[in-house]
Amino acid sequence: MKVAVFSTKSYDKDYLDQANADGQHELFYFEASLTNKTIKLTEGFHAVCVFVNDTLTREVIDSLAANGVKVIVLRCAGFNNVDIERATFWKIKVLRVPAYSPHAVAEHAVALIMTLNRKTHKAYSRVREGNFSIERLTGFEMDGKTVGIVGTGRIGSIFAGIMQGFGCHVLAHDAHLNKSLVDVGVEYVTLEDLFSKSDIISLHCPLTPDTHHMINSQSISLMKRGVMLINTSRGKLIDTDAAIDALKDGQIGYMGLDVYEQEENLFFKDLSEIVIRDDKISRLMTFPNVLITAHQAYFTDNALIQISQTTIQNLNDFVGNTIHLENEVTVDMIKA
Ligand code: NAI
């Protein structure tokens, strides 16, 4: 199958080419993201392969249908960036990679927590400059802290286990109670209780209309003063303006982000020689207690292998006319 691969980085090409070593599919790589400005690139293709920051709005999907695209393969689990209803309307199949090393994301959340807590990023810079002072590097012990987890699916449940290993008391909130977590002492509570009782809050739920801006000025006001907030899920879960106000005020004591509301214009790009026009991220970067990584939580060798192999398998399934496409995203899944 002839596939237009968007938002390609060198590692995407390396791993996809390995997974497609038998040359079953003709992969054409584009560095550009798929948007209504780049839609012309899809002419002559029956398949497009996209990532988290490609924006497949209703207009983009209409143009894909007009160009004869039959299948969209996502190199990610989340599908909030694709208008699934519109794709269904045009009978364009959408396939995803439902899980790729959930350990990678859970472990990255822990890296954010421990860096913010023990300030190893600052210690590293100091020592390299010959400054061996430990003034203002005071951290806290994780043992005995209460950690609140919003969303205990694949990633959240692994994260819960790691936090328990640190000796933390784990609170969770999810519409679906995971009995195996309850059996090991995780306590399911209301969202309000989770916000008000947790020293550290980590978000592991998907972005949906319900979860959009779930962290806002009202929910932040319920939190313990000086709370640590970690988001490795999706940027739009947090109202950035409200978070900035709470950081200025001290209500949020630490914030670790692997995702950001306006990340489409920034992440995965080298902008080091360019003036950054996004004032919100610029403000966030000025806080000494904010740590930002550019959507790298998933970025491990294991995950890249899994993503590329599942992406090629999804294309194989589609070409093989598999009646039941195992990794298909359906309208029912949005409603659920
Ligand atoms: P999952 O589908 O296994 O688990 C998500 C859980 O969130 C489910 O248990 C669901 O019931 C729950 N949930 C849904 N709505 C909720 C709500 N309103 N309140 C509380 N819980 C709610 O998903 P998985 O694999 O654990 O991934 C979680 C999220 O992590 C993804 O949606 C994606 O946005 C993000 N992600 C981030 C990556 C990164 O590199 N930063 C990589 C992969 C995923």
Side-chain angles (χ1 to χ4, degrees):
M1 191 165 208
K2 212 173 145 197
V3 188
V5 183
F6 285 88
S7 300
T8 309
K9 300 290 175 198
S10 62
Y11 45 86
D12 295 311
K13 184 173 181 313
D14 291 347
Y15 283 84
L16 280 169
D17 282 346
Q18 270 173 43
N20 188 43
D22 58 6
Q24 281 199 66
H25 304 285
E26 274 186 278
L27 306 179
F28 290 78
Y29 294 103
F30 298 106
E31 282 180 29
S33 302
L34 179 56
T35 64
N36 47 14
K37 288 188 187 137
T38 58
I39 195 76
K40 216 173 157 27
L41 295 170
T42 66
E43 283 173 7
F45 289 93
H46 285 156
V48 294
C49 177
V50 297
F51 195 48
V52 289
N53 290 330
D54 294 290
T55 40
L56 282 73
T57 56
R58 182 187 171 105
E59 294 72 36
V60 170
I61 301 269
D62 288 351
S63 303
L64 289 179
N67 287 349
V69 169
K70 305 282 180 228
V71 61
I72 298 164
V73 284
L74 297 163
R75 304 194 295 281
C76 53
F79 44 85
N80 54 281
N81 52 331
V82 181
D83 188 331
I84 302 296
E85 283 176 343
R86 199 63 182 168
T88 308
F89 172 82
W90 288 116
K91 299 193 170 43
I92 296 175
K93 296 284 184 188
V94 182
L95 305 173
R96 65 171 181 152
V97 182
Y100 42 96
S101 192
H103 289 274
V105 183
E107 289 170 14
H108 191 77
V110 179
L112 292 176
I113 291 172
M114 292 312 293
T115 307
L116 282 165
N117 172 5
R118 304 304 299 268
K119 305 176 179 66
T120 42
H121 55 319
K122 294 182 185 179
Y124 172 82
S125 306
R126 279 193 195 182
V127 170
R128 282 181 68 97
E129 289 182 9
N131 175 358
F132 298 97
S133 161
I134 59 169
E135 288 279 352
R136 302 182 311 282
L137 295 182
T138 324
F140 59 83
E141 285 173 24
M142 295 290 288
D143 183 49
K145 289 285 177 292
T146 299
V147 177
I149 304 175
V150 184
T152 50
R154 282 175 287 255
I155 296 169
S157 51
I158 291 167
F159 178 75
I162 302 174
M163 289 297 100
Q164 286 190 317
F166 273 104
C168 299
H169 175 50
V170 177
L171 303 179
H173 178 78
D174 196 309
H176 305 285
L177 186 145
N178 180 336
K179 188 167 176 311
S180 63
L181 290 183
V182 176
D183 290 345
V184 294
V186 171
E187 192 186 341
Y188 278 85
V189 294
T190 62
L191 200 51
E192 289 70 23
D193 272 356
L194 185 146
F195 286 152
S196 63
K197 291 181 179 161
S198 301
D199 301 297
I200 299 171
I201 296 171
S202 195
L203 307 177
H204 298 287
C205 60
L207 175 66
T208 65
D210 280 349
T211 60
H212 181 264
H213 282 187
M214 75 179 336
I215 304 299
N216 53 40
S217 52
Q218 198 269 332
S219 53
I220 291 171
S221 72
L222 299 176
M223 295 175 193
K224 282 190 183 179
R225 192 158 179 80
V227 65
M228 182 187 286
L229 181 62
I230 303 293
N231 188 8
T232 56
S233 194
R234 283 293 179 266
K236 289 185 174 64
L237 296 180
I238 299 181
D239 175 350
T240 309
D241 287 325
I244 289 172
D245 286 346
L247 281 158
K248 280 157 78 176
D249 170 64
Q251 173 68 2
I252 294 180
Y254 313 78
M255 190 156 80
L257 302 178
D258 186 54
V259 287
Y260 166 65
E261 243 189 316
Q262 316 287 355
E263 70 177 53
E264 295 80 10
N265 304 323
L266 302 166
F267 286 9
F268 307 119
K269 296 175 185 152
D270 178 0
L271 304 179
S272 51
E273 301 296 324
I274 292 170
V275 173
I276 293 179
R277 287 160 186 262
D278 184 320
D279 289 348
K280 289 183 194 176
I281 197 145
S282 299
R283 183 68 182 96
L284 284 174
M285 290 187 309
T286 66
F287 290 102
N289 49 352
V290 171
L291 180 61
I292 303 172
T293 53
H295 211 132
Q296 69 171 81
Y298 77 99
F299 200 49
T300 61
D301 188 47
N302 317 50
L304 289 170
I305 291 171
Q306 174 90 60
I307 290 169
S308 53
Q309 289 180 346
T310 307
T311 299
I312 298 298
Q313 186 57 50
N314 284 341
L315 289 165
N316 292 346
D317 288 352
F318 181 79
V319 171
N321 268 330
T322 309
I323 312 269
H324 169 70
L325 292 165
E326 193 184 342
N327 296 324
E328 183 173 2
V329 181
T330 61
V331 174
D332 290 345
M333 287 164 72
I334 313 173
K335 290 179 184 149

